[in-house]
Amino acid sequence: MRSETALVLRKLAEDRLALVGLLIVLALLACAVFAPWLATFPEAVTEFNPAHRLRPPDSVYLLGTDRLGADIYSRLLFGARITIAIALVAVGVAVAVGVPLGLIAGIHDGVASNLIMRLADIFLAVPQIVLAIAIAQTLGPSLPNVILALSATFWPWFTRLVYAETRSVRNETFIEATVALGASPARVVCLHVLPNIVSPIIVRITLGLGFTILTAAALGFLGLGAPPPTPEWGRTIAESREYLPDAWWYAAAPGLAIFLVVVGFNMLGDGLRDVLDPRTRRAGRPRD
Amino acid sequence: MSAALLEVQGLSHRFRLKDGRAVRAVDGVDLAVGAGEILGIVGESGCGKSTLGKTLIGVLGADDGTVRFEGAPIQNLDGTALRAVRSRLQYVYQDAGAALDPRWTIGRSLDEALVIHTALPRAERDARVRETLAAVGLHGDQLSLYPHEISGGQQRRVGLARVLALHPKLLILDEPTSGLDVSVQATILKLLVALWKQYGLTLLFISHDLAVVRSICTRVAVMYLGRIVETGPTAGIFTNPRHPYTKSLLAAVPLPGGRRVIDEAWLEGEPPDPLDIPSGCRFRNRCPMAQPLCATDDPTLRPLAPGHNAACHFA
Amino acid sequence: MTELLAVRDLIVNYHSERGIVRALDGVSLAIGKGEVVGLVGESGCGKSTLARAILGVLPVPASEVRAGAIAFGGDNLLTLASAEIARRIRGRRITFIPQDPYGSLNPLFTIGQQMLDLMHWKSPRAAAAGRSAWPAVLSRYPSARRAQDRAAILDMLGAVQIPNPEQALAKLPHELSGGQRQRIVIAMALLPQPELIIADEPTTALDVTIQAQILRLLHREVKRRQVSMLFTTHDLGTAWEICDRVVVMYAGQDVEAAPTPAFFAAPRHPYTSKLLESLPRTDGVAQDIPGEIPSLIAPPQGCRFHPRCYFATTECTITRPPVSGGAHVVRCYHPLGASTGVAA
């Protein structure tokens, strides 16, 4: 599969929007990983300096300070860690639950399949943010609960996607041919069906990461995220409301960060969708 | 005829539609395939020849009837028992390119058959794959390619190699040459005959192409609307067809350099809706010889010459 | 016989990701008035490209016509403005029968709507009416003309043996069988009263008994109306059935052109002779042609068949053989039966 990976990367490099998206996502990762070194005031997460509160951006406080005198730039960097952690764990759990359920529902006909899909439909019937708020509210504000709320609302998307893709791949001749060859159902599903639906799952994961970050920020904004003094982006915007419009940087910096990251994931996801689309990829040799 | 390797009696498969109606795609087929034969199953699209093949190997379930392979019934087996049969009874798909996983290399696809059916260690599997690959006329360096990277003719060879590695007894070939250019078709047919001899195979050759069937098969069965209407040795079927459908089918085949089909009498009309098969003989609506008897009595296959049967009251 | 269409030394390239595909390499072909010419060759030989070039529908900008001319009734179709071809020629003087009638009929409209729409723009009466001052989409379909066109459609459906023409007009394409759809498409190609029909493998998707019916119908109708037809096919059997003359192509080159009986009796190009030998035989398996069709991105120099040819000599690998023979044309330095060829 090496040649195919190379092809995907080459095509991705030709797609300018996807490349910008990829750069933004990589920048976010770098911020999260190197936060202690990039931060000008690494202690700003826990130590405050009330004397310097609400300073506008200058050469010392690159993005200004907040109501407690903490450096917003440094808090943003550490906030990236939380953002990434929430998004990865929440989407990871959603994939771990949603994909197997989708496969089971897609392969089997009958009661199990119907049960799974109707359950997914019930989750999908409630707007995701409302459901997440309800779950987070019930369980109480904490980081694990935010993640739980996001996973609980996101898995049906993967189930639906995998179900639909499995149904279409299941009808392909090579699946029937593998069954006719004598392969066991487990072999057919794990080695033939799943690898052939990986591309749309990857696209959905990428788009889902951006969407989850947005939802997590919304929960933080509503006070349902990690409790203070966690430097969570959504919570920071919520805090800034009292000081607007005078301390404009207070809201602008985290707002812009959320915006950029979500747009970045979306551009990367759209680019991947084009690149991984089998209709463009399988255009191999013409008929001989 | 030698002892039957595959015996089919009254086999039926129905496709159920959402509105509750059923298409009788295979409708009471009787057939015997002797060891070492190349039996051609010919018929036009929709006659049920591919469905018959898939019902024989159990990809589709049998609604009625029995299939005996090497003496033991194999219809509607499942799980381990079915897998055990499949190492000796294999199906080669019409669209060889589509029958290979697009994400797997040729080598991995070929190896898979052996992984499923044998307990051979890797080195022996490799040797077997290379040996079969050579038998179908491909090179070892093609093992690392993907299905879309090789030509249609080569894809057919890979499809053959994949099942031949198992050393099967009976191969069901679904339209093995359709969609190929004549020169490639000739190559594949030559290869099939060579493999038939080399591996001591029995072949069930499903095809719509009468000229190809005539050139390669030892015996022929003609299908019409889910039923076999005539069987016999190839020479008998082609030089002395008895069923009126076989006659009109043969009359419609162009013969470059010979008589012109468009100048002669030919079959009028189109096959009836498979949801609404006529009473009695299912060919009677298009048959130039139809009599009142044909509307009431469904003719069964009856012997007309040694090994030559036809399902017609007036054959 | 007077020439209706003459393709001369046509060179067409495609630009692909992997390089320039040399699809047509100096192809010449002539069609006489009322003549049915079979354009025969295996897939990838360029017969579809040639058909598209004549219809003026080569893909833009992927294709490029490097040289040649297509003369049709005093015009060179290669230099004529594409709007002019669309208005005066394509669909009116040259019509098309596709391979797949299901794909070429719109699944959302009834047969009647589609046939009347065709007649609105392309019937001889539409031509006589001249251009409307209104933009095309706004122009009215005069009811008198519409009624006449409808009668012509019903007549034509009778000619192509559609049972109950009135009822057929109200049907959607998927309500008809493959054979019936092909009859409709043939009727649509005949209705504008064209001078030339380009038929692209019109019977390939059909069963042999239906194929026989369609070939017979097509042959009868074009002969009765004295319409010329270019019939592309990979099947020598169908070419034998309805063509007056056969032109064989190999890998983007025309290699032989001859009256059908002479061609099948004594092919003169080594490739065509091998091709005929590879047809299924009644007494065992046929001979194949060793080797594979070359890539058109890096085709062999000279005669493109030379790597697979038993008779090839050095000159074959350098330049393309010139045309030789009278009515039975062959492009080969070493034609078979060299002494008897001209008699055909």
Side-chain angles (χ1 to χ4, degrees):
Chain A
M1 205 100 305
R2 198 178 305 132
S3 65
E4 196 174 313
T5 314
L7 183 73
V8 165
L9 289 178
R10 208 188 69 215
K11 280 200 174 170
L12 205 57
E14 286 168 9
D15 184 343
R16 217 170 282 169
L17 279 182
L19 209 57
V20 172
L22 182 66
L23 287 179
I24 293 175
V25 169
L26 288 178
L28 173 74
L29 282 176
C31 288
V33 172
F34 300 111
W37 293 278
L38 290 172
T40 43
F41 296 89
E43 71 290 345
V45 180
T46 48
E47 285 176 27
F48 310 112
N49 189 355
H52 290 181
R53 68 194 295 260
L54 298 178
R55 289 259 178 106
D58 58 28
S59 57
V60 181
Y61 299 112
L62 296 174
L63 295 173
T65 62
D66 66 7
R67 59 179 178 171
L68 297 174
D71 179 41
I72 292 180
Y73 167 68
S74 303
R75 282 179 63 86
L76 274 188
L77 290 176
F78 282 96
R81 291 187 152 188
I82 299 171
T83 303
I84 291 266
I86 293 177
L88 284 182
V89 177
V91 172
V93 172
V95 168
V97 173
V99 170
L101 285 179
L103 274 176
I104 293 169
I107 289 295
H108 293 284
D109 298 292
V111 184
S113 166
N114 272 324
L115 269 180
I116 291 171
M117 292 323 293
R118 293 303 80 77
L119 186 65
D121 287 344
I122 290 171
F123 273 82
L124 289 171
V126 185
Q128 199 178 4
I129 185 78
V130 175
L131 192 58
I133 290 170
I135 296 175
Q137 183 72 37
T138 315
L139 298 176
S142 79
L143 205 55
N145 288 349
V146 170
I147 292 173
L148 192 66
L150 290 171
S151 318
T153 54
F154 207 48
W155 70 267
W157 293 91
F158 285 100
T159 304
R160 269 241 152 266
L161 172 78
V162 170
Y163 171 79
E165 293 287 333
T166 305
R167 287 270 148 158
S168 90
V169 170
R170 196 178 72 157
N171 293 330
E172 297 263 355
T173 309
F174 70 87
I175 295 295
E176 193 188 302
T178 312
V179 171
L181 191 66
S184 64
R187 163 173 278 271
V188 171
V189 171
C190 298
L191 297 180
H192 294 281
V193 175
L194 194 54
N196 276 288
I197 62 172
V198 149
S199 301
I201 297 179
I202 289 176
V203 172
R204 171 71 73 181
I205 287 176
T206 314
L207 295 171
L209 285 171
F211 194 74
T212 306
I213 287 170
L214 195 62
T215 316
L219 291 179
F221 181 84
L222 295 172
L224 297 171
T230 323
E232 208 265 320
W233 294 352
R235 170 175 296 282
T236 310
I237 297 179
E239 289 166 5
S240 73
R241 278 178 303 170
E242 295 169 41
Y243 308 98
L244 286 175
D246 303 319
W248 54 269
W249 61 89
Y250 199 165
L256 217 59
I258 294 169
F259 169 78
L260 270 180
V261 166
V262 172
V263 167
F265 273 112
N266 279 352
M267 292 201 301
L268 180 61
D270 282 345
L272 279 174
R273 191 202 313 260
D274 293 343
V275 170
L276 295 173
D277 188 337
R279 272 162 305 187
T280 55
R281 184 161 45 83
R282 269 182 219 161
R285 182 188 180 111
R287 296 185 304 151
D288 63 330
Chain B
M1 194 175 69
S2 46
L5 180 66
L6 186 78
E7 257 189 295
V8 182
Q9 257 164 9
L11 190 67
S12 295
H13 177 83
R14 288 184 281 276
F15 289 107
R16 277 160 200 84
L17 302 182
K18 279 185 182 148
D19 58 9
R21 295 183 296 171
V23 179
R24 292 187 279 167
V26 174
D27 192 21
V29 163
D30 299 328
L31 194 66
V33 189
E37 274 193 308
I38 304 181
L39 174 64
I41 310 259
V42 292
E44 300 182 276
S45 51
C47 75
K49 53 192 192 299
S50 289
T51 309
L52 172 63
K54 288 179 184 175
T55 311
L56 290 178
I57 53 153
V59 164
L60 298 174
D63 289 310
D64 262 317
T66 57
V67 182
R68 298 177 83 84
F69 179 62
E70 295 177 317
I74 59 161
Q75 78 279 5
N76 297 337
L77 286 181
D78 53 9
T80 325
L82 182 59
R83 249 164 271 151
V85 171
R86 277 180 177 158
S87 66
R88 284 163 296 143
L89 169 61
Q90 275 289 340
Y91 192 89
V92 182
Y93 277 77
Q94 168 175 4
D95 188 346
L100 294 166
D101 191 327
R103 290 178 163 264
W104 283 33
T105 60
I106 303 301
R108 195 170 167 210
S109 282
L110 291 177
D111 188 47
E112 184 176 34
L114 295 169
V115 171
I116 293 169
H117 287 290
T118 69
L120 296 174
R122 194 187 175 97
E124 281 181 48
R125 293 204 310 268
D126 268 359
R128 180 95 76 94
V129 163
R130 282 175 189 279
E131 172 198 311
T132 335
L133 206 63
V136 299
L138 290 176
H139 306 292
D141 52 2
Q142 277 155 325
L143 286 174
S144 58
L145 298 177
Y146 287 91
H148 71 265
E149 293 174 313
I150 58 176
S151 71
Q154 288 170 335
Q155 287 171 349
R156 310 261 166 157
R157 291 170 193 262
V158 171
L160 283 171
R162 194 179 188 203
V163 297
L164 283 175
L166 299 172
H167 295 168
K169 284 257 169 44
L170 175 65
L171 275 191
I172 299 175
L173 306 161
D174 189 0
E175 298 277 7
T177 62
S178 84
L180 296 177
D181 285 313
V182 274
S183 66
V184 184
Q185 167 177 294
T187 314
I188 294 291
L189 289 176
K190 234 167 112 173
L191 174 68
L192 278 176
V193 171
L195 293 171
W196 173 61
K197 288 180 182 151
Q198 183 185 344
Y199 286 85
L201 295 167
T202 304
L203 301 179
L204 203 65
F205 191 99
I206 297 171
S207 178
H208 71 281
D209 189 329
L210 291 140
V212 166
V213 164
R214 181 174 197 176
S215 76
I216 187 171
C217 296
T218 54
R219 215 155 59 83
V220 177
V222 181
M223 263 186 104
Y224 184 75
L225 276 180
R227 190 72 66 83
I228 286 175
V229 295
E230 183 164 5
T231 75
T234 306
I237 293 278
F238 280 89
T239 55
N240 186 17
R242 306 296 286 269
H243 196 285
Y245 175 65
T246 314
K247 286 181 188 170
S248 36
L249 206 54
L250 289 176
V253 180
L255 279 179
R259 53 117 177 84
R260 278 209 168 90
V261 170
I262 58 167
D263 299 334
E264 304 202 350
W266 83 110
L267 188 57
E268 281 289 356
E270 299 185 6
D273 185 351
L275 280 166
D276 186 22
I277 293 177
S279 68
C281 174
R282 49 196 68 202
F283 185 60
R284 70 178 160 88
N285 294 351
R286 303 172 77 192
C287 183
M289 300 158 57
Q291 303 285 327
L293 172 70
C294 303
T296 52
D297 281 30
D298 192 0
T300 52
L301 282 173
R302 59 191 177 91
L304 299 167
H308 194 147
N309 305 294
C312 175
H313 298 299
F314 304 100
Chain C
M1 197 177 294
T2 49
E3 259 179 20
L4 177 71
L5 177 108
V7 178
R8 267 185 279 281
D9 301 319
L10 187 62
I11 299 179
V12 174
N13 292 338
Y14 288 115
H15 298 276
S16 82
E17 267 186 26
R18 288 172 301 149
I20 297 172
V21 180
R22 304 186 187 278
L24 293 183
D25 180 37
V27 173
S28 299
L29 170 129
I31 302 173
K33 193 142 180 43
E35 191 183 31
V36 176
V37 175
L39 187 57
V40 182
E42 301 183 272
S43 34
C45 73
K47 54 188 191 294
S48 294
T49 303
L50 181 53
R52 284 175 177 192
I54 296 170
L55 283 164
V57 292
L58 283 172
V60 178
S63 66
E64 176 199 13
V65 177
R66 288 301 299 273
I70 301 177
F72 177 72
D75 287 314
N76 180 355
L77 296 184
L78 290 178
T79 54
L80 211 58
S82 65
E84 190 79 348
I85 293 182
R87 194 172 61 79
R88 281 205 294 125
I89 299 192
R90 186 169 60 234
R92 192 164 280 166
R93 296 176 64 195
I94 304 181
T95 60
F96 181 62
I97 302 176
Q99 175 175 350
D100 168 21
Y102 198 56
S104 67
L105 291 169
N106 189 327
L108 296 178
F109 294 96
T110 63
I111 301 297
Q113 284 168 320
Q114 297 187 52
M115 295 188 86
L116 273 173
D117 194 41
L118 169 82
M119 293 300 272
H120 184 176
W121 303 111
K122 299 293 186 185
S123 80
R125 276 177 291 279
R131 284 178 93 172
S132 146
W134 290 90
V137 274
L138 296 178
S139 76
R140 214 169 53 82
Y141 192 1
S143 57
R145 226 178 77 201
R146 191 188 150 95
Q148 286 177 320
D149 286 345
R150 197 180 146 81
I153 289 172
L154 288 173
D155 262 7
M156 185 60 77
L157 290 183
V160 298
Q161 292 159 325
I162 293 277
N164 305 321
E166 287 276 1
Q167 283 175 27
L169 286 183
K171 286 188 174 166
L172 289 166
H174 75 264
E175 295 174 307
L176 299 173
S177 70
Q180 302 242 304
R181 282 197 294 265
Q182 199 57 279
R183 288 171 196 270
I184 297 284
V185 170
I186 290 172
M188 290 172 82
L190 289 167
L191 274 168
Q193 300 181 7
E195 292 153 70
L196 174 67
I197 295 177
I198 311 272
D200 182 22
E201 308 229 12
T203 60
T204 300
L206 301 175
D207 278 317
V208 59
T209 55
I210 311 296
Q211 166 177 293
Q213 296 171 16
I214 296 291
L215 286 178
R216 182 173 168 132
L217 165 80
L218 201 53
H219 187 257
R220 188 187 63 216
E221 293 304 320
V222 297
K223 285 297 171 194
R224 195 164 80 195
R225 291 156 210 270
Q226 278 296 297
V227 186
S228 309
M229 179 158 72
L230 182 69
F231 188 99
T232 76
T233 181
H234 70 279
D235 180 13
L236 291 159
T238 30
W240 163 254
E241 288 291 331
I242 74 165
C243 298
D244 301 319
R245 215 152 53 79
V246 174
V247 177
V248 184
M249 289 187 63
Y250 177 79
Q253 298 179 329
D254 53 323
V255 295
E256 186 163 353
T260 306
F263 172 79
F264 281 95
R268 298 196 55 205
H269 196 282
Y271 168 65
T272 53
S273 136
K274 280 282 186 192
L275 194 64
L276 286 173
E277 280 176 24
S278 68
L279 286 174
R281 301 152 61 101
T282 56
D283 55 345
V285 173
Q287 287 304 307
D288 56 342
I289 309 178
E292 290 210 359
I293 294 167
S295 154
L296 296 184
I297 289 176
Q301 187 76 22
C303 172
R304 288 182 175 177
F305 186 62
H306 81 252
R308 303 171 78 183
C309 184
Y310 180 74
F311 305 98
T313 53
T314 320
E315 56 184 339
C316 304
T317 68
I318 299 166
T319 51
R320 241 195 115 184
V323 173
S324 64
H328 192 151
V329 171
V330 61
R331 296 194 71 155
C332 180
Y333 289 112
H334 316 286
L336 307 170
S339 54
T340 58
V342 191

